[in-house]
Amino acid sequence: MTVIKNSVLQRAIILSAALTLCLSCQPKRNAGDEHKWWKEAIVYQIYPRSFKDSDGDGVGDLKGIISKLDYIQSLGVTAVWLNPIYSSPNDDNGYDISDYRSIMKEFGTMQDFDELLKGLHERGIKLVMDVVVNHSSDEHEWFKQSRSSRTNPYRNYYHWWNAERGKPSSRYSLFDVNHDAWKYDSLTNAYYLHYFSRKQPDLNWENPKLRHEVYDIMKFWADKGIDGFRLDAFQFAAKDTTFKAFPEGYEKNFIKYYAMGPHLHDYLKEMNEEVFSKYDVMSVAEGAGNSFQDAHDLVDADRKELNMAYAFDGVDIAKPEGYNVIHFKTVFTRWDSAFADKGWLSIFLANHDQARMVSRFGNDSVQWRALSSKMLSTFIMTMRGTPYYYNGDELGMTNAGFDKIDQYRDMPTLNEYQHQKDTGGDLNKFMQRIKFECRDNGRTPFQWDSTANAGFSSNAPWIGVNSNYKEINVAQQEKDSTSCLNYFRKLTQLRKKYPVLVYGKYTQMDKICRHAYAFRREADGQKFLVLLNFASTVSQINAPVHPDAQVLLSNYPGAEDNKGKLSVNLRPYEAIIFKY
Ligand code: NOJ
């Protein structure tokens, strides 16, 4: 460890650096500064299927969530995003909706929903619902009608290609066993399009009738009093319906070809006019196109489309072989700069489509799990942009790392396994890969306590419980003031207490440090310095700490010793938030 003596000279250098900074970076007001509740929100994402089962069928449900409302409130989060809870045959765990106005049987009833919404609101927590309208379920009445005949009034709710025209040009399906997005249907001798599974036919947004049906559905939920919408896969909703051929190999970069199709912005403007503008609701889209320009075009306030989008550049960085911290810092810094003056960002490192945050970005060994998980939470809660925090990460839940294919439940994973088998792929390699990155890793039952099934259900859950539930669970962490859970609560309090963490200008420091990350946040004369070590070894980072800085939070004791230093030796996975 390099120890730098705190001399009078050094103190003078730091003070003068701080002064220069003060003079040159007077916080200027800009579009991003306009205060909004959704910018200040701390969104906690609940995967209902795995959160809490109240009736012993092994599947989480709304009553289960209701029974945990006090826990959710205790986290200090201000909004909940619920993955889809609508009627669904569950080919893709609710992302295949068969009735947008009713609740999935396993999850409960509309009465349960009303109670849940009331319970959240009583606790000052908003509710954001998933809207899945790039596609529906093939069991939706619209699709049943649509496929019944070529002349059915619902035919144009979906994309059909009559077979006498020959086979349409290739479209890649993300989830299909053959990756073919055109499914032949003999009933009307035509193909229908499905970017996801064949049970998720794509809706035809060119049809104004369909669009207005969707707006009516959104209004139905907004009238119930929900506070926001997360638009699933919406960047793919608009298509060039001439279906011209894409160049060979396009599927390796399908987002380039699929995202931001013709009229997408017209649809969003219309949705804004018809729905968002009429309620105090927030809107966030999954996917942000192919460039910063695309992202801006989705969210710049004067365009009147969406409030936020979330891009995958950050979350995609972690790979089974590890990742480069400089790359991580560069990506997040670039996104921040692109939105420094206009627009608004979302910040997240995990969700239901990813394996666990600590297993991907941190270190899930017994020695480092808690420290690295707290460090990652510190990152999310101190960056600019609205944080989306995935349930279970507050405990530092880890990947389940299933070894056998029959332990997996995720449809695209099972389809891909079959595909690999059919095409002579390397199944061992495939199993190694999914052990690290399959999204089922993030979908195992929430670990409430050390009783059977982790206190999630009185019966065998729909997917296996992580074998470490006796060590990692809420009951155990409630008792420990230094637990990940209690650390997360401190983070949410800080974010709510100091708006500078929401709105303040972000400046990266020491861009070349290979293992640690330092950035400043500042506004209205308040400054924060955040130091994060992403390594299991000590990392030295050049980030001067003001002599009068106050340690607001750290995952180690003794962080005060760094006050007045020009560079800091961070202990493994150390995180410190200074204020000065
Ligand atoms: C994105 C959702 O987050 C994911 O879970 C789902 O499988 C696809 N969209 C299809 O709806």
Side-chain angles (χ1 to χ4, degrees):
M1 225 194 243
T2 322
V3 179
I4 299 173
K5 289 240 172 70
N6 189 5
S7 65
V8 175
L9 177 65
Q10 191 187 327
R11 204 180 149 90
I13 297 173
I14 296 170
L15 285 172
S16 97
L19 186 66
T20 318
L21 195 94
C22 264
L23 295 176
S24 61
C25 305
Q26 287 295 333
K28 62 172 184 343
R29 289 274 158 208
N30 55 43
D33 286 337
E34 204 197 330
H35 289 209
K36 295 276 181 205
W37 70 260
W38 44 267
K39 293 183 180 173
E40 291 163 27
I42 301 171
V43 183
Y44 182 65
Q45 182 192 348
I46 294 183
Y47 196 66
R49 206 173 183 77
S50 301
F51 195 63
K52 175 71 186 164
D53 173 22
S54 73
D55 59 3
D57 66 355
V59 174
D61 47 45
L62 299 187
K63 279 207 162 81
I65 303 175
I66 293 168
S67 73
K68 296 296 180 186
L69 280 172
D70 289 342
Y71 170 78
I72 298 166
Q73 183 182 29
S74 81
L75 297 175
V77 299
T78 63
V80 160
W81 154 27
L82 275 189
N83 289 103
I85 55 167
Y86 320 94
S87 292
S88 164
N90 281 306
D91 184 49
D92 186 20
N93 290 2
Y95 281 94
D96 47 319
I97 298 169
S98 51
D99 180 355
Y100 291 89
R101 285 188 176 85
S102 70
I103 304 291
M104 189 191 299
K105 260 197 333 292
E106 294 93 320
F107 286 180
T109 62
M110 195 56 91
Q111 212 181 338
D112 297 336
F113 173 82
D114 293 339
E115 196 183 327
L116 171 60
L117 182 61
K118 188 162 163 274
L120 284 167
H121 284 171
E122 279 166 2
R123 288 166 181 79
I125 301 170
K126 308 221 182 238
L127 178 62
V128 177
M129 302 266 288
D130 227 309
V131 183
V132 189
V133 287
N134 169 71
H135 46 270
S136 72
S137 162
D138 67 341
E139 297 184 33
H140 194 290
E141 188 56 32
W142 295 338
F143 189 74
K144 290 187 193 160
Q145 294 285 336
S146 183
R147 76 178 284 247
S148 66
S149 89
R150 288 187 180 187
T151 53
N152 187 283
Y154 287 90
R155 187 67 169 181
N156 281 335
Y157 273 43
Y158 296 87
H159 298 282
W160 290 97
W161 182 276
N162 293 339
E164 60 273 18
R165 298 170 72 190
K167 186 142 196 225
S169 62
S170 158
R171 288 295 178 267
Y172 176 77
S173 159
L174 283 92
F175 289 179
D176 193 76
V177 68
N178 302 319
H179 293 298
D180 183 352
W182 289 108
K183 169 91 176 76
Y184 177 69
D185 190 19
S186 57
L187 198 64
T188 55
N189 189 32
Y191 299 89
Y192 67 84
L193 184 72
H194 60 93
Y195 280 177
F196 295 92
S197 90
R198 50 185 77 169
K199 285 189 66 62
Q200 295 168 294
D202 282 40
L203 289 161
N204 179 6
W205 274 76
E206 282 188 0
N207 181 346
K209 270 198 177 146
L210 174 272
R211 298 204 301 274
H212 284 88
E213 294 243 28
V214 170
Y215 308 146
D216 284 350
I217 290 165
M218 294 172 82
K219 284 190 250 182
F220 169 83
W221 291 100
D223 285 337
K224 277 188 163 288
I226 71 155
D227 308 284
F229 298 99
R230 177 254 186 200
L231 297 180
D232 182 74
F234 199 74
Q235 59 175 350
F236 302 147
K239 281 128 182 139
D240 173 357
T241 50
T242 61
F243 294 112
K244 61 174 187 273
F246 291 149
E248 212 172 309
Y250 77 92
E251 70 282 358
K252 296 193 184 71
N253 189 5
F254 67 90
I255 294 193
K256 176 168 167 205
Y257 295 90
Y258 283 11
M260 315 301 292
H263 306 299
L264 187 80
H265 291 294
D266 301 331
Y267 305 152
L268 284 171
K269 280 187 178 29
E270 188 178 70
M271 186 184 283
N272 187 306
E273 208 175 295
E274 294 283 332
V275 188
F276 304 146
S277 66
K278 300 199 160 104
Y279 304 85
D280 182 18
V281 288
M282 62 160 258
S283 53
V284 52
E286 183 197 29
N290 284 295
S291 63
F292 292 136
Q293 188 59 51
D294 281 351
H296 269 286
D297 288 350
L298 290 169
V299 305
D300 282 352
D302 43 9
R303 291 176 58 94
K304 296 200 171 27
E305 295 183 26
L306 297 166
N307 298 138
M308 282 176 267
Y310 61 84
F312 303 112
D313 290 16
V315 82
D316 282 349
I317 292 171
K319 299 283 179 246
E321 58 280 10
Y323 66 98
N324 178 320
V325 175
I326 295 201
H327 178 49
F328 182 96
K329 298 196 287 188
T330 311
V331 167
F332 278 97
T333 301
R334 256 201 249 131
W335 274 92
D336 187 89
S337 340
F339 285 77
D341 297 327
K342 236 176 165 214
W344 194 247
L345 291 162
S346 317
I347 295 288
F348 70 108
L349 285 178
N351 61 30
H352 66 292
D353 288 332
Q354 312 291 333
R356 281 285 169 188
M357 171 175 85
V358 72
S359 302
R360 297 182 72 228
F361 287 97
N363 184 328
D364 63 8
S365 67
V366 172
Q367 188 178 9
W368 303 124
R369 181 193 61 82
L371 280 165
S372 64
S373 163
K374 290 176 195 169
M375 185 277 291
L376 295 166
S377 299
T378 310
F379 167 73
I380 298 174
M381 301 301 289
T382 55
M383 285 293 281
R384 205 152 63 107
T386 301
Y388 289 77
Y389 196 86
Y390 187 56
N391 62 183
D393 285 346
E394 74 272 26
L395 308 175
M397 277 180 64
T398 66
N399 275 0
F402 296 134
D403 287 315
K404 300 198 187 76
I405 194 67
D406 61 12
Q407 293 174 292
Y408 288 89
R409 299 287 175 270
D410 180 43
M411 168 270 292
T413 301
L414 299 176
N415 280 353
E416 187 57 25
Y417 180 84
Q418 190 58 46
H419 179 75
Q420 294 289 326
K421 218 167 153 185
D422 294 347
T423 55
D426 183 340
L427 287 177
N428 286 330
K429 208 164 139 197
F430 176 77
M431 292 304 296
Q432 277 313 312
R433 183 161 67 77
I434 61 172
K435 190 171 179 163
F436 177 78
E437 64 185 24
C438 178
R439 53 191 192 168
D440 275 349
N441 281 301
R443 296 177 175 187
T444 59
F446 194 93
Q447 295 166 204
W448 292 104
D449 56 39
S450 58
T451 64
N453 306 317
F456 162 73
S457 173
S458 55
N459 264 310
W462 68 277
I463 187 169
V465 176
N466 192 315
S467 56
N468 61 19
Y469 75 94
K470 291 203 169 139
E471 293 80 53
I472 304 171
N473 60 62
V474 173
Q476 180 267 333
Q477 295 199 17
E478 288 286 9
K479 291 187 287 202
D480 173 4
S481 62
T482 67
S483 65
C484 294
L485 173 59
N486 283 315
Y487 186 88
F488 179 68
R489 288 175 171 145
K490 289 181 188 146
L491 280 169
T492 57
Q493 293 317 317
L494 284 183
R495 195 165 176 99
K496 289 192 289 194
K497 182 165 176 197
Y498 297 108
V500 57
L501 290 174
V502 176
Y503 296 106
K505 176 178 178 245
Y506 158 99
T507 313
Q508 190 195 356
M509 305 172 77
D510 192 346
K511 300 192 175 138
I512 55 176
C513 178
R514 296 207 346 257
H515 300 296
Y517 194 170
F519 53 88
R520 238 183 354 238
R521 303 292 315 282
E522 56 194 299
D524 303 328
Q526 255 185 10
K527 292 192 186 66
F528 284 69
L529 173 67
V530 181
L531 302 180
L532 307 165
N533 185 6
F534 281 67
S536 58
T537 48
V538 171
S539 303
Q540 187 181 38
I541 185 144
N542 291 318
V545 182
H546 195 284
D548 301 328
Q550 178 195 353
V551 175
L552 287 186
L553 189 63
S554 173
N555 55 356
Y556 276 90
E560 295 79 14
D561 298 349
N562 296 301
K563 288 203 263 184
K565 288 186 178 166
L566 279 176
S567 71
V568 174
N569 286 310
L570 290 169
R571 290 163 280 187
Y573 299 110
E574 185 164 17
I576 314 175
I577 309 176
F578 288 108
K579 172 180 174 290
Y580 54 103

